[in-house]
Amino acid sequence: MKLEGKIAVVTGGSRGIGFATCKKLASEGATIIITDICDSEKAAPAIKELEDMGAKAKFYQSDVSDFASATETVNAIIEEFGGLDILVNNAGIVRDKLILKMDEQDFDAVININLKGTYNMIKATYKHFMKQRSGRIISLASVVGIMGNAGQANYSASKAGIIGLTKSVAKELGARNVTVNAIAPGYIVTDMTDALSDKAKEAIDSGIPMKRRGTPEDVANAICFLASDDASYITGEVLRVDGGMAM
Ligand code: NAP
């Protein structure tokens, strides 16, 4: 198993891509800590599924957009588990609207959770990673952070910001053997993308070279690769997992 003995934190890990990532990392031997804004009752089935797989797993309720909450949670995790090896910044939201209708709250909410939340978690963990002289930080960007997308100015800006943040922190932490990478998924089947009509989904599929939407497992596999020793000389990378959508 590639991640035996490793301790992984996955923000927003109770469902969607985050939960698929937890299962994949657990299948490679990692201890899993899910942090999520939902309460422990809602996260309980995810923890149970991980434990049923034989993994050690724990849930912490935490809002990534709240700096104090992110810091307290990370400190508590490091104290309880005696370390931290892998941080997956997965928590994210959308508030899709054309810029004409997008108000300040729509913009701020998406930036605060997606971009500031990623900064908060990196800020809360980087001293630990520097001291440890090893670590993996993997953040969920998106192909729309590369291409832009009408109706997603807030979301695209947050994801483009994550790409800049990733490359900058990769330069700062490289000498400490800490790799910092981003994953840019295309169109992945989760609750986040479920709201579109079947017609819109078919139109999206036809524009993807591989002619299908991705699964959370497609993304989780790439995250697991970046978290493993197989990717120990890869940093500052933005890995598209998009069936060729953003080529
Ligand atoms: P999802 O199914 O909507 O899940 C998002 C998770 O984030 C949920 O568990 C949610 O908690 C949690 N969350 C939301 N706000 C939070 C906060 N303030 N603090 C902590 N946790 C919070 O989303 P997904 O589709 O799996 O997406 C996961 C990541 O991949 C996101 O960053 C997203 O932008 C990115 N991504 C997704 C796609 C796609 O096509 N699905 C494409 C590109 C990038 P609750 O359950 O309590 O709401």
Side-chain angles (χ1 to χ4, degrees):
M1 288 202 281
K2 290 183 173 175
L3 301 175
E4 195 74 63
K6 302 287 184 193
I7 297 161
V9 170
V10 181
T11 69
S14 66
R15 61 190 173 97
I17 292 169
F19 184 48
T21 300
C22 291
K23 286 189 284 186
K24 180 66 186 175
L25 300 182
S27 75
E28 291 293 347
T31 293
I32 305 298
I33 293 117
I34 293 179
T35 74
D36 205 302
I37 197 163
C38 68
D39 60 24
S40 56
E41 202 179 321
K42 202 173 157 202
I47 295 294
K48 182 169 183 314
E49 200 172 324
L50 291 166
E51 287 173 344
D52 287 348
M53 287 171 66
K56 192 169 176 201
K58 181 154 183 188
F59 173 75
Y60 283 80
Q61 186 175 27
S62 181
D63 177 354
V64 290
S65 69
D66 177 339
F67 184 75
S69 163
T71 308
E72 277 164 28
T73 303
V74 166
N75 290 343
I77 290 166
I78 291 172
E79 199 178 315
E80 179 170 351
F81 290 86
L84 170 60
D85 303 290
I86 300 158
L87 167 65
V88 182
N89 290 308
N90 166 79
I93 62 162
V94 284
R95 290 273 159 82
D96 295 353
K97 279 172 197 170
L98 293 174
I99 196 82
L100 181 74
K101 296 207 165 154
M102 186 181 291
D103 61 26
E104 195 184 352
Q105 285 78 17
D106 297 322
F107 192 83
D108 287 350
V110 172
I111 296 294
N112 281 336
I113 292 174
N114 298 6
L115 179 56
K116 176 87 184 322
T118 301
Y119 158 80
N120 286 343
M121 290 301 290
I122 290 174
K123 180 76 179 166
T125 51
Y126 90 97
K127 270 192 191 153
H128 164 76
F129 284 135
M130 280 180 83
K131 244 169 62 193
Q132 186 171 261
R133 290 188 172 268
S134 71
R136 295 279 191 272
I137 300 174
I138 301 150
S139 302
L140 272 293
S142 166
V143 290
V144 306
I146 301 168
M147 306 189 299
N149 197 23
Q152 291 197 305
N154 49 1
Y155 184 77
S156 307
S158 74
K159 297 302 188 180
I162 286 173
I163 292 172
L165 177 63
T166 295
K167 291 184 178 184
S168 301
V169 180
K171 288 185 175 180
E172 292 183 22
L173 296 185
R176 298 290 179 132
N177 191 35
V178 179
T179 69
V180 188
N181 292 291
I183 297 275
Y187 191 101
I188 310 299
V189 181
T190 67
D191 295 344
M192 185 177 268
T193 50
D194 197 39
L196 291 176
S197 68
D198 287 346
K199 210 173 153 199
K201 286 175 185 166
E202 279 163 26
I204 290 167
D205 286 356
S206 69
I208 300 171
M210 292 190 75
K211 303 294 174 208
R212 68 166 177 91
R213 280 157 275 158
T215 64
E217 290 71 28
D218 289 326
V219 182
N221 289 341
I223 292 172
C224 187
F225 164 66
L226 288 174
S228 74
D229 285 348
D230 293 341
S232 56
Y233 198 54
I234 299 175
T235 197
E237 184 59 272
V238 181
L239 178 56
R240 288 186 297 105
V241 182
D242 67 347
M245 196 178 168
M247 270 192 286

